[in-house]
Amino acid sequence: MFNIVLHEPRIPGNVGTIGRLAFALNCKLHLIKPYGFGEINEKQVRRAGLDYWFDLEVYEYENIEEFWQKHPLTNRHFFATTKTKQVYFEANFKKDDFFYFGREDAGLPESLLALNEKGCITIPMTNNARSLNIANSVSIVAYEALRQNFAEFK
C-alpha cells in the first residue's frame, strides 16, 4: 500500500506503535539507523507492536544512502516537517508513496528537506505546539493517504 520511513527513531515504543499501524494498513515500514535505542527487537518495541510485529513487512538500513540505493528519491517521497506551509491534506498521495518522519527530538534534517521541498508536508496545529507525537503524525498522514486511495484498496 504505502511506505512509512522512520529516519533515526529515538523511542522504541513509538517504533512499535507505528509498526502496529503499518501492519493494520498493510504498509511497509522502513527503519533508518542509527536508532536512539539498542536493537529493534527490544522489549519496548515488541510490547507496543504486540504480536503484529512478527507479521509486519519491516526493513532496516544502516543510513539514508543505503535506503536510497534501494528506493531512489523521486517526487513520490513526502517529508513530514513543521518547516513548510504545505498541509498534508492538500498533497495528492498515490499507492506505494513514501512518507518520511524524523527523529522525535529533532525531526528530519533540513539538508534532507532541501532535496525535495515540493514533497514537504505539515500537519497544521491551531495552537503554539512545537509538534505532535510521531506515532500520531504517522497515523494522520497514512490515514489521509488511505482516504484518498480507498477505492483502490477495497
Side-chain angles (χ1 to χ4, degrees):
M1 180 177 290
F2 303 107
N3 294 277
I4 298 168
V5 182
L6 302 184
H7 185 260
E8 301 180 1
R10 301 331 244 179
I11 302 173
N14 283 337
V15 174
T17 299
I18 293 165
R20 186 174 177 182
L21 171 78
F23 176 80
L25 293 180
N26 197 30
C27 294
K28 296 175 185 172
L29 180 60
H30 304 272
L31 303 173
I32 300 172
K33 296 177 183 181
Y35 306 141
F37 50 90
E39 293 301 314
I40 203 65
N41 59 4
E42 279 196 14
K43 186 166 79 172
Q44 297 97 321
V45 174
R46 289 193 319 267
R47 183 181 317 136
L50 296 174
D51 55 337
Y52 303 111
W53 191 260
F54 300 103
D55 294 320
L56 173 65
E57 198 170 341
V58 61
Y59 304 93
E60 295 183 84
Y61 307 87
E62 292 302 315
N63 52 50
I64 192 75
E65 291 78 17
E66 180 184 346
F67 175 75
W68 282 336
Q69 286 175 359
K70 294 182 172 128
H71 309 282
L73 186 61
T74 70
N75 65 347
R76 303 313 315 163
H77 292 233
F78 295 89
F79 300 149
T81 178
T82 59
K83 299 175 178 88
T84 188
K85 299 276 189 223
Q86 178 176 247
V87 291
Y88 74 96
F89 49 79
E90 291 178 349
N92 181 21
F93 300 127
K94 296 180 180 177
K95 182 181 175 193
D96 299 322
D97 281 351
F98 290 83
F99 307 127
Y100 292 65
F101 299 86
R103 290 171 42 165
E104 291 91 338
D105 61 344
L108 291 168
E110 289 195 36
S111 59
L112 187 65
L113 301 175
L115 296 174
N116 188 15
E117 290 179 5
K118 290 183 179 182
C120 290
I121 55 173
T122 193
I123 299 168
M125 295 175 275
T126 58
N127 209 341
N128 292 325
R130 287 185 310 280
S131 64
L132 297 172
N133 173 276
I134 188 173
N136 291 337
S137 296
V138 172
S139 296
I140 290 167
V141 172
Y143 272 98
E144 173 60 17
L146 175 63
R147 185 194 67 77
Q148 290 181 18
N149 295 275
F150 190 65
E152 186 175 342
F153 296 109
K154 281 183 168 184

